[in-house]
Structure formats: structure tokens, C-alpha cells
Amino acid sequence: MSLFWRIFSLNSAGLIVAAALLLGPVTVSTPVLPAEALVVVAGLAVLLAVSAVVLRVGLAPLERLGRSMATADLLRPGARAAVAGPAEAAELIRTYNTMLDRLETERASSAARALSAQERERHRIARELHDEVGQTLTAVLLQLKRVADRAPEELREEVGQAQEATRAGLDEIRRIARRLRPGVLEELGLASALRSLATEFTAHGLSVRHHVPGDLPALPEEAELVVYRVAQEALTNTARHAGAARAEIRFRRIADGVELVVSDNGKGFGTAAEGAGIGGMRERALLIGAALAVRPGPEGRGTDVRLCIPTISSIPAIPAIPAIPAGGR
């Protein structure tokens, strides 16, 4: 029954009962007798109670819909309001759920295009850093070497310092280019790329262990890139914000797919709101239908980032990243 007919039927029943009482044997004296007042008050209380119950039951689905709308998050898809209640409320909830389906689909599609463009831009910047800036610094190093050979003794130390500074800058440029464009992922595969990532962050003051077996099922290129970027972002957050001394990368097979876990022993994120880094990880996870969870580690210490990737057959297709020429080396 629709909400309109529920309220109309209740009001009609109340008016009919009131008219029947007035036309029946029940009368009201002047002044009003206590027994008559008691009957009138009791009848009014019953009508009000029934009206409250009907309205509460009829409006409860709308209250649930309001709570669902307040907590909806497109980065955590799948949550839907239960379709129940009067016809109007049920139709409104179905329309809202349909709208969420459409928004999640459009969000995933736009995120796929944006992240694909981002990866192309990363590749372009990495190539220019390697080909342009890297080659320029290499030429500067060679020129400094010739200058050092001809320089007087009192200037050789300063020239040597310039050489070391240039060499350090060249190494930093190469490191940034490798992070922007994970060549090891393209050339040696995901397992080797994750091990290399652990080694890279270990070299910068953080002890990172890895447990990455070599017999894991093959993943599409898009899924491998998402796994690598999530691991990279999680370790970056650990190195910058967690104050951790140890971290660990685990990549393993689970019942319905594979799972990546990046954990640390840092201070955790507490009540702080999720930043752009975690939001980017969630968007990447949505591209391949994966589930991302960021929660405190064991005993409330540190942080665990878990990415559960479904079986290959259920991974949706996303826009591929066009190949970019590697350029000179």
C-alpha cells in the first residue's frame, strides 16, 4: 500500500470512529462528566498512537535512505539502500540505487581515462629526464673531467666537488625517472619489480622486507601496474609520514585471486583523514575491480594496506597505456 493510502485510510478511520461515537449512545454532558472525559481522552490517545505507528513505519525507509545517502562513497562501491516500504519510498530507493550504479560506472570510466593519461605523462617526463636532463648532466661530467685534468692543483679539489655534485644530481634524476616509469616492471615482471621496490626504499633509510614468490598467477598488464603503483604509494607514505623503521611487502595467492599487503611498524594514521595518496590508491583499485583496505596493524600499531585482486576473468577491461618509444640510452 502506498504512503498516501496508508495516511488517508488512518485519517478516514479516525473520522468514521469519531462520527460513530457522536451519533451513537456516547454523549457528552455539560459540564463534562469524568467518565465521558476519560472516554474521549482514551479514544484520542488511541488515534494518536495508531497515527504515530503508521507514520513511523511508513517513513522508516526514507530515514534509512537518508543515512545511506549521507554515508555513500564512490571510492567504496557496492553499498546500496535496502528496497522496502510503501510504493513511493521503494521506487525512490530503487531510483537512488540506479543512480549510484550509474555514478560508480562513470566514476570508474573517468578515473581510468585520468590515470591512463597520468601514466602517459609519467612516461613522457621520465623519458625527457633520461634523454634530455640525464644526457646534459653526463656531458657536464665529461667536461668537468677534462677540466680536472687541466686544472691547477689548487683548483682540483673544487672541480672534484663539482663532479661529485653533478654525479649525485645525475643519480637522483635517474632514480626519479625509474620511479616515474617502472622499466623493471615492463622488462622483468611484477615479482621482480616489487623486490626492486623493496630494495629501493631500503636504500633510503627504511628496512623493507619482501615475500614475493615467483609462482603467482599471471595478471593483465593493467592489474600489474595497479599493484605496483599501490605498493609504491604505500611505501612512500610509510617513508614520509609513518616514522617507521621496518616495512614489509607480501604478495600471495588467496582463494579468489591474489593479495598485496604492505605493512609497517610506524605510528599509524590515527584519526587523520585519508589524503590524496590513499584516495589515488582507491581509484586505481576500482579500475581492476579490486578491494583496498587501509587499517591499523596488529595490536593497533603501524598500518596495513591490503589490495585484494580478483581472479583474472573478473577483472574489467580499462584503457591501455599507449607504448612510448624508450629513446636513447
Side-chain angles (χ1 to χ4, degrees):
M1 183 182 296
S2 69
L3 187 60
F4 168 80
W5 284 110
R6 290 190 185 194
I7 297 176
F8 179 77
S9 300
L10 174 63
N11 292 336
S12 299
L15 292 174
I16 291 172
V17 170
L21 291 175
L22 291 175
L23 296 176
V26 177
T27 58
V28 178
S29 305
T30 305
V32 179
L33 298 176
E36 296 172 342
L38 181 61
V39 170
V40 172
V41 170
L44 178 61
V46 170
L47 287 176
L48 291 176
V50 173
S51 177
V53 170
V54 171
L55 288 175
R56 173 61 64 185
V57 172
L59 297 178
L62 298 181
E63 294 178 359
R64 291 196 298 270
L65 176 62
R67 290 193 296 269
S68 178
M69 295 173 69
T71 58
D73 187 353
L74 294 181
L75 291 179
R76 296 178 175 85
R80 297 291 183 269
V83 179
E88 295 94 336
E91 183 61 27
L92 179 61
I93 295 173
R94 276 192 292 269
T95 302
Y96 169 73
N97 289 342
T98 302
M99 180 192 69
L100 269 188
D101 293 337
R102 186 173 65 251
L103 287 177
E104 288 179 0
T105 301
E106 293 176 356
R107 172 68 181 254
S109 177
S110 62
R113 291 192 297 269
L115 291 175
S116 179
Q118 184 185 82
E119 289 296 333
R120 289 197 300 271
E121 188 67 9
R122 282 172 178 259
H123 278 60
R124 185 188 65 81
I125 294 174
R127 184 186 61 195
E128 292 184 359
L129 284 174
H130 182 278
D131 295 349
E132 303 296 333
V133 182
Q135 290 181 5
T136 299
L137 289 178
T138 301
V140 171
L141 270 178
L142 294 175
Q143 292 174 355
L144 286 173
K145 176 67 169 58
R146 288 195 293 268
V147 170
D149 294 339
R150 301 174 183 176
E153 187 66 31
E154 61 272 13
L155 294 179
R156 288 185 179 178
E157 183 178 355
E158 295 181 8
V159 175
Q161 292 175 354
Q163 284 180 293
E164 291 302 319
T166 304
R167 187 174 291 108
L170 181 59
D171 291 341
E172 184 66 16
I173 289 294
R174 288 171 176 168
R175 185 184 68 83
I176 294 173
R178 284 196 302 269
R179 295 195 65 188
L180 287 172
R181 180 189 179 193
V184 65
L185 177 62
E186 300 173 358
E187 297 167 5
L188 301 179
L190 180 59
S192 297
L194 292 177
R195 298 188 191 105
S196 174
L197 197 62
T199 303
E200 176 185 344
F201 277 88
T202 298
H204 289 78
L206 180 67
S207 176
V208 183
R209 295 184 300 174
H210 59 80
H211 301 279
V212 185
D215 58 347
L216 292 169
L219 295 175
E221 291 183 4
E222 296 83 1
E224 289 188 348
L225 182 60
V226 168
V227 171
Y228 180 85
R229 290 301 187 196
V230 168
Q232 186 182 52
E233 183 63 36
L235 288 176
T236 300
N237 288 342
T238 297
R240 289 180 179 175
H241 310 297
R246 298 187 307 276
E248 185 177 18
I249 297 178
R250 298 192 302 275
F251 193 50
R252 60 186 181 181
R253 188 193 302 266
I254 56 177
D256 54 350
V258 291
E259 180 185 56
L260 170 73
V261 180
V262 182
S263 56
D264 63 64
N265 67 340
K267 60 186 179 181
F269 55 86
T271 58
E274 293 185 357
I278 296 179
M281 287 192 287
R282 294 194 184 282
E283 287 187 346
R284 290 182 182 278
L286 289 179
L287 296 182
I288 58 173
L292 180 79
V294 182
R295 59 172 70 101
E299 300 180 0
R301 289 188 54 82
T303 304
D304 277 3
V305 177
R306 293 178 179 271
L307 179 71
C308 296
I309 302 98
T311 53
I312 297 175
S313 60
S314 60
I315 295 179
I318 62 175
I321 300 170
I324 295 180
R329 288 185 175 243

